[in-house]
Amino acid sequence: MATSEAMRLARAVPAWLVLLGASLLTCGHAETAVAQPAPQIEARYVVMGPDGEARARVITAAGTCPALVVDGTAMVMELRAAAATEPQRPTKSSPQDSKPSAFPVRVCEAILPVDAHAASAEGLTLPIPRKQARRIVVIGDTGCRLKAADNAWQACNDPAAYPFARIAALAAAWKPDLVVHVGDYNYRENACPQDHPGCTGSPWGYGWDTWQADFFGPGQPLLAVAPLVAIRGNHENCARAGQGWWRFVDPRPLQAGHDCNDPANDAQADYSPAYAVPLGSRAQIVVMDLSAAGTSAFPADDPRTAQFEDSYRQLASFARGANFTFAADHYPVLGVAAKEQQGATGFDAGNRALQGVFARLNPHIIPPGVDALLAGHIHLWQQVDFGGKQPSQFIAGFSGTQEDVVPLPRKLPSDVSPAPDAAVRDFHAIVDAFGFMTLERTGSRSWRATVYSVTGEVMQRCRLRGRRSHCGAA
């Protein structure tokens, strides 16, 4: 490397990255100073639920749940889900390549007291929510893509081709107060073919082995340092990895019939009411389970219509009482995707399913008081500003899953807009580069967003104030 190039990279790498040490740069799996799980504890984490309720969870291979020690006092952890093999949920695109979901682990949980200062299980610490969340990491679409229907065989064994472990370690070293995952945790749907050495031997299906390989294993350094706000992706629908979603990730109590084990109950198990996670100083993230929407409009008598109308009303109600509101769901309501179209680049602007439902209640689509939208699904990073007529849209679907390859232009054509009543005023996209986004609070209604690459280099900086956002050169 030329001296000038080395100096440029040295200046670009933030100071916190140095804390990772040389091990991160040389090993196949990212490492931090976070303690490794105890022999029978497979994962430990804290997931945030309605009204900021924090559930400490432990996934264990032991026959009983461990005690949770909070501020020196032992608490009982309740059994959320026992070890079991659940019925096969065939992947719609390739049902012949599916199998039952084996979960040979227990999931244990306990609600953390609101005044807790420290918590641990088997000597391993768990993160405690902060009353003021000022530093937030946003990641999404983190699983390794193995899908027969698309002939998509990501090299899960190659840390360069599947870098979520490294991204999680980098994000953990940034020392966030909170982690927001915008959905799609589990992507290893089908068995890797023998002629693809990059994914040879990978677990597949929707059981614990794929959840461990796609999320809890590589993500453990990040889960150990900050609580998780979890958004459900379409890969966690009942027809895919919904059984694991309800066992491991959703912050609400696990209920029979709401667990994706019986297809007859999918209409209710594929949807949950919205809830708000407070960030302090009357800021909040409203989490919406709209992962069953798809991208095509559906008729008014579709069961999803009533469910998503309820989500709109819940979002509107939460926003009325807040000073700043992030609305988070998996599908970008106001994002832009590129596609090949007769030898040229075409565009999919906005989500027709969600816009069609929301517009029945409000022709402007998004309720007043919502300032910014967080989403994934499109495998890139993106920011869209509408001059204040709509909330700014941020997409962070670039944290591990095989990326989109159709490039987006620096400037969208004037006739491309994801919202019917708002022209795009500021637009930035990063395609074909893995990474994560951070949000830092800079005022009561303002945030600074920074986009980091898989090497810790800054790729983009943005300012967010109310509904307005603007990004500049890194």
Side-chain angles (χ1 to χ4, degrees), residues 194-218:
Q194 294 183 356
D195 59 348
H196 285 72
C199 55
T200 298
S202 171
W204 65 278
Y206 302 121
W208 163 245
D209 53 354
T210 56
W211 275 95
Q212 197 278 338
D214 259 355
F215 183 61
F216 289 106

Side-chain angles (χ1 to χ4, degrees), residues 333-337 347-352 355 365 382 384-387 389-390 412-425 427:
V333 183
L334 301 176
V336 180
F347 300 95
D348 280 327
N351 181 283
R352 287 179 288 276
Q355 289 195 20
I365 301 172
Q382 187 177 121
V384 194
D385 168 80
F386 302 94
K389 290 187 176 181
Q390 293 282 1
L412 292 176
S414 59
D415 61 341
V416 175
S417 174
D421 66 341
V424 173
R425 300 300 184 190
F427 172 85

Side-chain angles (χ1 to χ4, degrees), residues 272-290:
S272 301
Y275 60 91
V277 176
L279 304 176
S281 301
R282 296 178 57 224
Q284 63 183 348
I285 297 176
V286 178
V287 177
M288 296 183 292
D289 182 358
L290 309 177

